[in-house]
Amino acid sequence: MAGLAAIAALLVGAAILLFVNLPDANAFNARVEQLFVENDDLTAQAEIKLLEILAQSGTAFSETLSSYRFVIFVLLTFALAMLVAAVTFLLMLIQLNRRMGRIERKGIEVNSLVIARDQNAVHLNDFEFKLTPAAIETLSVLAEARMDDEVLSGAQIEAVISGRSEADCDEAAGATRIKRLRDSLGNQLVSELLVRNIAKRGYVLSIDKSVIRMN
């Protein structure tokens, strides 16, 4: 915040310095008026016309300079607003990254996991996810394994779902089912933290088994 205040103060100081050093909008008109006063002997029609043109030019210069002042003020205000917005978003991203880090270290906090097979849906806390029948089967197998404190390999998951012997099942087939389950859940953070992959052991639901209910 101190850095933001310093940059804002620097912009304000630059704006003040810029406006102070801009020429006076009425400086040209003042010089033309001085010409009128000092040369009151100019009576020829051409001379008078020239002074009128100078007076009109001074007015145009004054209006142009005033518009420039307004444009500069708007641009500086916009720059300050963009700076504040950028720093605000940066702070929000930093805070979000910290929260993500805490969640990744702690794991997702699930108070309720209800698997409704008849509806092809899973209720995770206050969220409802519509899944494919295959994804529901995979999640159900993982939930049953979690209630038994088991970690299932890809081949074991495929064996339970397909009804074949584990020896006849491929590890990649179970991994594919896990990937499809995560894709069905959609939210990458939820899917990655809910279904954990333990190296050289297999897959497990990273939740308390007491919150699991199956309908």
Side-chain angles (χ1 to χ4, degrees):
M1 296 302 292
L4 177 61
I7 296 175
L10 184 62
L11 280 176
V12 172
I16 293 174
L17 186 64
L18 180 61
F19 280 110
V20 167
N21 286 279
L22 281 174
D24 185 6
N26 292 314
F28 197 94
N29 282 336
R31 294 301 299 272
V32 173
E33 182 180 355
Q34 185 179 358
L35 284 175
F36 272 104
V37 173
E38 294 178 354
N39 299 278
D40 55 354
D41 57 340
L42 298 176
T43 56
Q45 189 67 28
E47 295 170 340
I48 295 175
K49 188 64 176 178
L50 176 60
L51 292 176
E52 290 177 353
I53 293 173
L54 289 175
Q56 292 173 0
S57 300
T59 302
F61 174 78
S62 176
E63 294 174 351
T64 301
L65 192 56
S66 297
S67 65
Y68 283 173
R69 287 177 183 271
F70 179 74
V71 170
I72 292 172
F73 173 77
V74 170
L75 290 176
L76 287 173
T77 303
F78 181 73
L80 182 60
M82 291 295 291
L83 172 66
V84 172
V87 173
T88 302
F89 282 125
L90 178 61
L91 293 176
M92 290 175 61
L93 285 174
I94 292 174
Q95 184 178 9
L96 181 61
N97 286 335
R98 288 177 178 173
R99 291 180 60 186
M100 291 289 196
R102 288 197 297 267
I103 291 174
E104 289 178 355
R105 290 191 298 269
K106 183 180 178 181
I108 187 170
E109 185 175 349
V110 178
N111 300 318
S112 173
L113 177 66
V114 180
I115 301 174
R117 293 188 177 184
D118 56 336
Q119 301 174 12
N120 288 329
V122 57
H123 301 271
L124 181 64
N125 292 343
D126 297 328
F127 300 97
E128 178 179 347
F129 298 91
K130 290 291 185 180
L131 305 181
T132 63
I136 284 289
E137 281 298 321
T138 305
L139 183 60
S140 299
V141 170
L142 289 173
E144 291 173 356
R146 180 67 186 92
M147 288 188 286
D148 294 333
D149 293 323
E150 295 179 351
V151 179
L152 297 181
S153 66
Q156 289 173 323
I157 293 173
E158 180 65 22
V160 173
I161 295 175
S162 65
R164 294 179 295 167
S165 170
E166 181 182 343
D168 297 331
C169 295
D170 188 8
E171 180 71 22
T176 300
R177 290 185 182 273
I178 294 295
K179 181 181 183 304
R180 288 174 180 170
L181 171 61
R182 286 172 169 167
D183 291 341
S184 297
L185 288 172
N187 187 307
Q188 184 177 358
L189 176 64
V190 171
S191 61
E192 291 292 336
L193 295 180
L194 178 64
V195 184
R196 284 289 183 89
N197 182 11
I198 301 177
K200 298 182 180 180
R201 292 187 61 190
Y203 303 93
V204 65
L205 292 183
S206 183
I207 59 176
D208 189 339
K209 62 183 180 181
S210 62
V211 305
I212 300 175
R213 286 170 46 203
M214 301 180 66
N215 296 334

